[in-house]
Structures are given as C-alpha cells and as structure tokens.
Amino acid sequence: MARLNVSRMIERIEYLATISATAENGVTRFSFTDQSERANDIVQQWMEEAGMKVHRDGVNNLIGRYEGTDPYSPVLMIGSHIDSVKEGGKYDGVLGVIAGIEVVTQLFEREIRPNRSIEVVAFCDEEGARFHTSLIGSRAMAGQLTDEDLQTADEQGITLSDAMRQVGLDPANYASAKRDPKTVHSYLELHIEQGPILQEENQPCGVVMGIAGALRYNFCILGMAGHAGTVPMSLRKDALTGTAEMMMAIEQIANQYPPLVATVGRLNVQPGVGNVIPGTVVGTLDIRDTDEQRKLQVASEMLSACEQICRQRGLESRFELVTQSPAVRCSPRLVALIENALIKRNIKPLKLQSGAGHDAMAIAGVCDVGMIFVRCKDGVSHHPDEYASPSDIETATEILFDVVLNECIQTSEVN
Amino acid sequence: MARLNVSRMIERIEYLATISATAENGVTRFSFTDQSERANDIVQQWMEEAGMKVHRDGVNNLIGRYEGTDPYSPVLMIGSHIDSVKEGGKYDGVLGVIAGIEVVTQLFEREIRPNRSIEVVAFCDEEGARFHTSLIGSRAMAGQLTDEDLQTADEQGITLSDAMRQVGLDPANYASAKRDPKTVHSYLELHIEQGPILQEENQPCGVVMGIAGALRYNFCILGMAGHAGTVPMSLRKDALTGTAEMMMAIEQIANQYPPLVATVGRLNVQPGVGNVIPGTVVGTLDIRDTDEQRKLQVASEMLSACEQICRQRGLESRFELVTQSPAVRCSPRLVALIENALIKRNIKPLKLQSGAGHDAMAIAGVCDVGMIFVRCKDGVSHHPDEYASPSDIETATEILFDVVLNECIQTSEVN
C-alpha cells in the first residue's frame, strides 16, 4: 500500500497555524471570528479536493462527506476541532481534522469507495477559550447544547448568540446541528497526547481508553476596594488575598488525589491598580479526574474550603458551574481495532487515559467513539512550543487509515 | 468675615466627577487623556474667574497665580491633583484644588491683595494609576522626575513620553517644570483623610504630622503554561499558584508590623483562560509605613520570602522597584499654624499620620509643607462611595483660609 502524503499534512498544519489573531506567541484562533471563518474556508477547499461534499451545520461545524456505496448505512465520522486556546499550539485539534482529510484523500486518489459514507468533521469550538463553555460544536451535534449556553458572553461581553450572528448564523437554528444517532456508526479522533507518557515510553502513538470528566466553575469573590495606604491590614476585605488563600487550599486538596488536577486559569482583578485594595476577583476553577465519583467529592470539598475562607475574611463568594462533562469510556470494539492496528505495525499498544477533554466526549452521546493519541514533545500543549514530529504523525495516521478500512471497506477491495 | 461659597465648591466637585472615561462606577480620569485635558480646561477657567493668571508647565501641571504686592517674595503654593485612580471617588485630590481656588476667589472678590503671590496648582498625575509610577507632576516640580520615568508604559504599551506628545507636550521639556526652591515659601494641601480616624473621633478635620513612605514594585513571575487536564499537579510550574503563595507570605509578614500595610493591587495572568495553566503573572506590590527604617526591612523580608517560594516551585521571579518615596514630616511651623486655626474654631486639633501618598511628599523637596485632612465617610477612598460632607468641606476650607491669611496677608488688612 502507498504511503500517506505526510508533507501535504505538515504543509496544511503550518498553513492553518498562520491563521491567528496574533502574529506572535503561537496560535490564537477563537470561534466565530474572522480567523475561524478563514480556517473553515481553506479546510472546506481541502475537503472538496478530496472528493467530499461539504456543508456547515447550524453552529458552523464543517462537515465533509465522502459518499459510500450504501447511502443508508450509518456513517463513519472522523473529527476534531480547528479552534485554539489563546496562544496555543499548531497541532491540538487541527491534526485530527487534517488526518481525517488525508485518509479520505488516499481513498479518493485510489478511487476506493467505502461501503458506508465517511464524514470528516471540523468542530467549531472545542476549547471553550472564548466563551468559557467548551465542546460547543460537538455538544450541538449530540443535542446537548442549551439556550443558556447561547447567552454565555466572552470577555468583551459578546454572547455566543451575538457571535454566531456576526458570522451569518441564526442562533435560533442551533438545534438543527443535532445528529440522529441512527445515522452515525462510529467516531474516530486522532489527537496529540498533550501529556508526557508516549514520550517516556518512546512510542509514536497509543490507544485511548477513556477521557477524564471535567467540572468548570466561574467564581466571583466580592470584598471591598479601598486605598492601599490607609486601610489597616486588620480592617481589609481584600478579594485578591482571599482568592490567594482559596488557591492554596485548592492546590493542597488536589495534591491529595492524583491523577486529579485542579487549575485556576483565569483571574481578573478589579479595579486592578497598584494603589487600590482589590474589591472584586473573577476567575475560573477547572477540576478533572478519570474517577467520576471522586471528582464530584473533591469539587465539593474544594468549594466548602473556599466558602469557609471567604466567610472568615468577610468576603462574599459565588461559584457557578458552567461545564460538567462526565468521564467517558472509549468503545471496547474500537479500542480493540486500534490495538490490533498498532500491533500489526509493531507498535507497543499503550493504553492511555486522556486528562484533556475532546470532542469525542460529547460525540459519545451519539455513537461509539475511539481515539488515537500521538506523541507530544515534552507533553507540552496549549502553548506555542507544542510539537508532534512528521514521522509520528505519519504513523498515527496510518493506524487511523487501517481502522477506517476495517470500519467501512470490505478488506478484499484494498490492495 | 463672610462665609465661603461652599455650594460653588460642591458644584465644581460634582462637575469634575462627570469628566470620566467611564459613565458608571465612579471617576476614571487618567493623566494625558482627553479627560485630563477637559478637566484642565475647566479648572483653568475657574482659576481665571478668581483673578489668577494661568499657565501649564512642562508636564501639564496647571498653575494659577494670584499676584501679590511683592512680586519678589517667595510664593505660597496651595495644591493637589485632579487625576484619579480607576473607578475612584470625586474628592481625592480634586477637593484640594477646588479649596485652593475658593480661597483665592474669596480674596479676589473681597479685593484683598496678599503680600506674597499665591499659586494654586492642579498636579498632573499623583495617583500613578496609568503608568504605575506616581507623583509625576509634583516630582517634576521638585526636579525628581527622570528620563527613566518617561519610558514607563501604560497597559496599552503607551509610554509616558508618547502620552505627553499626544496632548501636545514635548517630553524633552519635562525638566522645565522644576521649580527653584528659592521662589516658593511654603505649600499647603487640603485632602480627604482616606482613613477612618476623623470619623471615629467625630471631628471635621485635623492636622497631618507626616506622610508614610511607599515602596512600589512591579513583579513578574515566570512558570510554564500547559494544558489544565494533562499536566499532573506534581509537574506543574503554575505562575499563579506561586503568586498566591507569595501573597499569603506577604500578608502574614505585614500583619506582624502594624501600621505597615502591603497590597498586591494589580495582577495580570497570562494566557488567562480556564483550561490553561498560567505561565506568567505580572503584578504590583505596594508597601507603606511611617517608619522609614522598618519599611525597608520588611520589604526585604517580603522579597526574600517570595524568592524562596518561587525557587521551591521552579518559578522565576523578578521584582523591580518602581517607586520609592521616603516618609516625609510636615513643617512644624505649618503644623502649629493649622493647630491654632483648629483651636480658634473650637475643633480638637487631632494629629494624624497619612498612610496615603500625596503631592506634598514630593513638594517637601522644594519647601515647607503642611496638610489639612478632611473627614472621609467610613474611611472609604479610591472607590465610587468616597464621600466628604459639604459642612466638613466648608470647615476645612475655612481652616485653610485662616492659614493662608497667616502666611501671606498682613492680618490688619483683613476684616
């Protein structure tokens, strides 16, 4: 069998990396922006060059369909996302979409028609970097997006609803993105590991067993602003010092339950000038664990600790749960297919847990899901230094190709 | 003697409060902006209506001069500032300028010519809210502004130098604002207390004995950004968690040395999104004490603690001292004059220490300084709720008037 065109894949990854809101510091490509629309346009072109018919659904998920011989057979979906975090890397999400297109391109160039149709999906907002609610595209496809999500606002106060209008979508139409589970057979996602295990084990790729569930809270701590020179320490209601004490408690609790992780990633201090005691702090708390039960218990322990600290300091605290994604298991059938493909190519079939969320989490509500992880340099992701080697990308895409053949081609047709 | 026109003073204070970058949440009037220029224009008009000749010096300090009978006699200066913090109050600074104009207006309307000329000064940037270096106008007048100060940038990256150009000033000309000490006899400043003592003692105003010295640092904590789901707690270099631990240490140390106070007022977290471990935190640390020696010792103790915390967490820390103002004593002669005026009007002559910085700190390098504090509701300042009552404002301005008469009028002329 001919090799994949890995140079074409790398060129496309590099090209998408240039579509960023900032010229430096990695890739910043939020959803429903000029950048996301430009990325959609070029990915649509690549899909069409691979013989796919392309449409965008009610939330701007970009869907390319490579028609199979049986139009009534549930489809095989290959997907990932093309949005990024602020100042992120080139590979997170993008790799999975480019790999899906490459697999279909191989079929198209070799004039292979699958039994079931293949759809490659570029989901619209997996990261949640703009609206602080994640998996927007894949949750819409799974019928899990809500009217409330549409009212979530970005830091400029633009709601998801408004942002959708700005790129010509009718937000009232978001439910049309929901996909009937009967029409989808399975979902495959190839993604960088975003962790250090494959590098430690010196393997190019591995199979994902499950994805950690995440809880994400927005919190607001209200104290009393005041002059930094005249309010004695004993009379202060400093919202930022209170938040600092909360963060120490959160870290201490998280340290007790590995591999659970907890992160305060965003913090906005008001009024935020050097000679004023902070009166208000707004932030996010993200908690992840592969053990669903423990995740909920630890979250409750953390929130209690925070509330007690605020009470002792005369601060008011509000925690709002904005994302709650339960831990997800990958389909044993797809895990076995991926393992077999790894073994066939003499790769140790490493079984990995994903600490990061992925579109596969939401799509697990539609159909069986399977994931392939690609080695990621030093485990670094969501950072400009994120890197996966062309050779690892090629190997992992070959594994994906093997699984796709198994899922929708009569093997005898392929030579 | 006729009463002051306190309604006029209140109207002017309220009018200036409308000149703000934001329509809500108090007053935001940074220096070298459209707002500061509009404020300068109207204050200049009020000065001219009070018979003053007005000019703006090399850094846009607005100086109104009411000519005395002896043009060679060193002047009496009455001043304060008309910039504000972000979302601050109406009285901080503005009150002292309006009181100075009111005193001169009284002299002008009664056709009283002082022996020595009186200058009312509206200093250009006392707060340091924009450039994070404070007392810009008064330090320029004292010859303490440096070329380095001109390169300090605001949050948009605009340097003080650029900002000066934007309002038509030549930054190269800043040294022309320096005032020859031989030309200034003394400086008086009336200001809200910004603390709770006068309210507790139920007095309208009091005399200031000295002003706490301030140290202000900009700090930068460098860690490693990473994916919030995939980097184990034990391998993180979270710049924000490190900063939180630093803040706990700073608070604990400050609590041991009242009335010393320490404040982290500004904190900027990068990249600042919910699912990314913070890689960089930039912030400010402000330390104030009336005991100069102790202030320096405690600052050193705090910085050592912060460095140790960062070392233990594998973070890099940088602290840069941006403001260092030594504690200042008010002139015993002016303190005595203010005390006498208080006693004459049956007010308990409360001796106060100022925890806040004031233009008087810098002007102490030019001449004797004296300050009158006005009761401030609940000690709240740098906040939209800042309030001083018309009755207290009237009483304090009368005290100022008495002291001005003592300083530059032959008492026999006044009836």
Side-chain angles (χ1 to χ4, degrees), chain A residues 244-254 256 302 305-306 309:
Chain A
E245 190 176 353
M246 282 168 38
M247 287 188 62
M248 289 294 91
I250 288 165
E251 184 186 46
Q252 197 184 12
I253 294 167
Q256 295 168 34
M302 285 176 178
C306 291
I309 287 164

Side-chain angles (χ1 to χ4, degrees), chain A residues 4-5 8-14 16-17 29 36 38-48 50 52 54-55 60-66 76-84 90-106 118-127 137-138 141 187-192 358-360 363 370-372 374 386 393 396-397 400-401 404:
Chain A
L4 302 169
N5 188 340
R8 171 167 58 196
M9 293 180 69
I10 301 299
E11 274 165 26
R12 288 174 172 182
I13 290 166
E14 293 294 333
L16 280 175
R29 191 167 54 243
S36 70
R38 283 180 54 209
N40 272 339
D41 289 345
I42 186 70
V43 172
Q44 170 158 1
Q45 186 187 316
W46 296 332
M47 286 173 165
E48 286 167 350
M52 289 184 260
V54 184
H55 79 282
N60 251 15
N61 291 321
L62 185 71
I63 305 173
R65 183 179 173 103
Y66 185 63
L76 168 69
M77 210 174 257
I78 309 171
S80 200
H81 59 95
I82 54 171
D83 67 312
S84 81
K90 300 172 185 172
Y91 303 89
D92 180 356
V94 163
L95 175 58
V97 175
I98 298 301
I101 294 172
E102 183 60 28
V103 166
V104 172
T105 307
Q106 293 298 326
I118 300 175
E119 293 186 6
V120 178
V121 185
F123 288 106
C124 78
D125 189 329
E126 190 262 359
E127 297 288 3
S138 46
M141 188 174 279
Y187 172 84
L188 293 169
E189 184 166 356
L190 185 152
H191 204 284
I192 54 166
H358 295 293
D359 291 306
I363 302 305
M371 286 194 77
I372 301 163
V374 184
E386 184 181 275
I393 287 172
T397 309
L400 177 67
F401 191 79
V404 169

Side-chain angles (χ1 to χ4, degrees), chain A residues 194 230 236 251 263 313, chain B residues 194 230 236 251 263 313:
Chain A
Q194 309 183 281
T230 61
R236 295 185 172 205
E251 184 186 46
T263 308
R313 289 179 172 265
Chain B
Q194 308 182 282
T230 61
R236 293 184 173 207
E251 185 187 45
T263 309
R313 288 179 173 266

Side-chain angles (χ1 to χ4, degrees), chain B residues 359-379:
Chain B
D359 291 305
M361 293 175 87
I363 300 305
V366 179
C367 65
D368 282 357
V369 301
M371 287 193 77
I372 301 163
F373 266 179
V374 184
R375 172 163 49 190
C376 169
K377 189 165 182 294
D378 300 331

Side-chain angles (χ1 to χ4, degrees), chain A residues 30 85-87 92 126-130 132 134 155 193-196 200 212 216 224-236 238 240-245 247-248 250-251 254-255 259-278 284-286 288 313 354-357 379-383 385, chain B residues 30 85-87 92 126-130 132 134 155 193-196 200 212 216 224-236 238 240-245 247-248 250-251 254-255 259-278 284-286 288 313 354-357 379-383 385:
Chain A
F30 288 176
V85 298
K86 186 176 168 189
E87 300 177 3
D92 180 356
E126 190 262 359
E127 297 288 3
R130 179 171 179 192
H132 309 297
S134 56
E155 297 215 330
E193 181 196 352
Q194 309 183 281
E200 276 172 26
R216 193 172 312 161
M224 179 74 190
H227 192 292
T230 61
V231 185
M233 296 304 286
S234 57
L235 295 180
R236 295 185 172 205
D238 183 330
L240 183 55
T241 316
T243 304
E245 190 176 353
M247 287 188 62
M248 289 294 91
I250 288 165
E251 184 186 46
N255 283 342
L260 178 142
V261 287
T263 308
V264 174
R266 186 163 64 98
L267 208 63
N268 191 295
V269 179
Q270 291 297 331
V273 284
N275 55 355
V276 183
I277 299 164
T284 57
L285 170 61
D286 178 298
R288 306 195 191 199
R313 289 179 172 265
S354 174
V380 170
S381 183
H382 284 188
H383 189 277
D385 292 345
Chain B
F30 288 175
V85 298
K86 186 176 170 189
E87 301 178 1
D92 180 357
E126 190 263 0
E127 298 289 2
R130 180 172 178 192
H132 310 296
S134 57
E155 296 212 333
E193 182 196 351
Q194 308 182 282
E200 275 173 25
R216 193 173 312 160
M224 180 72 190
H227 192 293
T230 61
V231 184
M233 296 304 286
S234 58
L235 295 180
R236 293 184 173 207
D238 184 330
L240 182 55
T241 316
T243 304
E245 190 176 354
M247 287 187 62
M248 288 294 93
I250 289 165
E251 185 187 45
N255 283 341
L260 178 142
V261 288
T263 309
V264 175
R266 184 163 67 98
L267 209 64
N268 192 294
V269 179
Q270 290 299 328
V273 285
N275 54 356
V276 184
I277 300 165
T284 57
L285 170 61
D286 177 299
R288 306 192 192 201
R313 288 179 173 266
S354 174
V380 170
S381 183
H382 285 189
H383 190 278
D385 292 345

Side-chain angles (χ1 to χ4, degrees), chain A residues 95-335:
Chain A
L95 175 58
V97 175
I98 298 301
I101 294 172
E102 183 60 28
V103 166
V104 172
T105 307
Q106 293 298 326
L107 298 176
F108 179 65
E109 290 180 350
R110 302 181 204 180
E111 297 179 5
I112 301 172
R113 282 287 292 278
N115 304 338
R116 60 177 84 256
S117 301
I118 300 175
E119 293 186 6
V120 178
V121 185
F123 288 106
C124 78
D125 189 329
E126 190 262 359
E127 297 288 3
R130 179 171 179 192
F131 295 103
H132 309 297
T133 179
S134 56
L135 303 178
I136 291 173
S138 46
R139 285 196 291 133
M141 188 174 279
Q144 297 163 1
L145 203 69
T146 64
D147 289 346
E148 216 179 324
D149 286 314
L150 292 196
Q151 297 317 312
T152 317
D154 68 8
E155 297 215 330
Q156 273 71 53
I158 300 167
T159 62
L160 173 51
S161 211
D162 293 338
M164 287 172 73
R165 274 190 209 97
Q166 284 173 8
V167 296
L169 290 171
D170 178 1
N173 200 29
Y174 77 88
S176 69
K178 182 178 185 322
R179 191 68 180 255
D180 181 353
K182 284 201 285 290
T183 66
V184 191
H185 176 255
S186 54
Y187 172 84
L188 293 169
E189 184 166 356
L190 185 152
H191 204 284
I192 54 166
E193 181 196 352
Q194 309 183 281
I197 297 170
L198 287 166
Q199 177 171 294
E200 276 172 26
E201 298 278 346
N202 199 23
Q203 297 298 321
C205 52
V207 58
V208 179
M209 305 303 292
I211 306 169
L215 292 172
R216 193 172 312 161
Y217 297 89
N218 286 342
F219 64 78
C220 176
I221 309 300
L222 295 168
M224 179 74 190
H227 192 292
T230 61
V231 185
M233 296 304 286
S234 57
L235 295 180
R236 295 185 172 205
K237 293 184 181 177
D238 183 330
L240 183 55
T241 316
T243 304
E245 190 176 353
M246 282 168 38
M247 287 188 62
M248 289 294 91
I250 288 165
E251 184 186 46
Q252 197 184 12
I253 294 167
N255 283 342
Q256 295 168 34
Y257 303 102
L260 178 142
V261 287
T263 308
V264 174
R266 186 163 64 98
L267 208 63
N268 191 295
V269 179
Q270 291 297 331
V273 284
N275 55 355
V276 183
I277 299 164
T280 307
V281 172
V282 168
T284 57
L285 170 61
D286 178 298
I287 305 170
R288 306 195 191 199
D289 199 358
T290 45
D291 182 330
E292 186 63 17
Q293 191 62 29
R294 188 176 61 181
K295 183 188 72 181
L296 296 171
Q297 277 169 2
V298 171
S300 155
E301 190 181 337
M302 285 176 178
L303 264 58
S304 296
C306 291
E307 277 161 18
Q308 195 184 335
I309 287 164
C310 288
R311 212 167 30 243
Q312 283 167 350
R313 289 179 172 265
L315 303 170
E316 195 182 327
S317 67
R318 294 182 202 145
F319 279 80
E320 184 197 1
L321 182 62
V322 287
T323 303
Q324 178 169 29
S325 54
V328 158
R329 286 188 65 212
C330 291
S331 145
R333 187 178 60 78
L334 294 171
V335 166

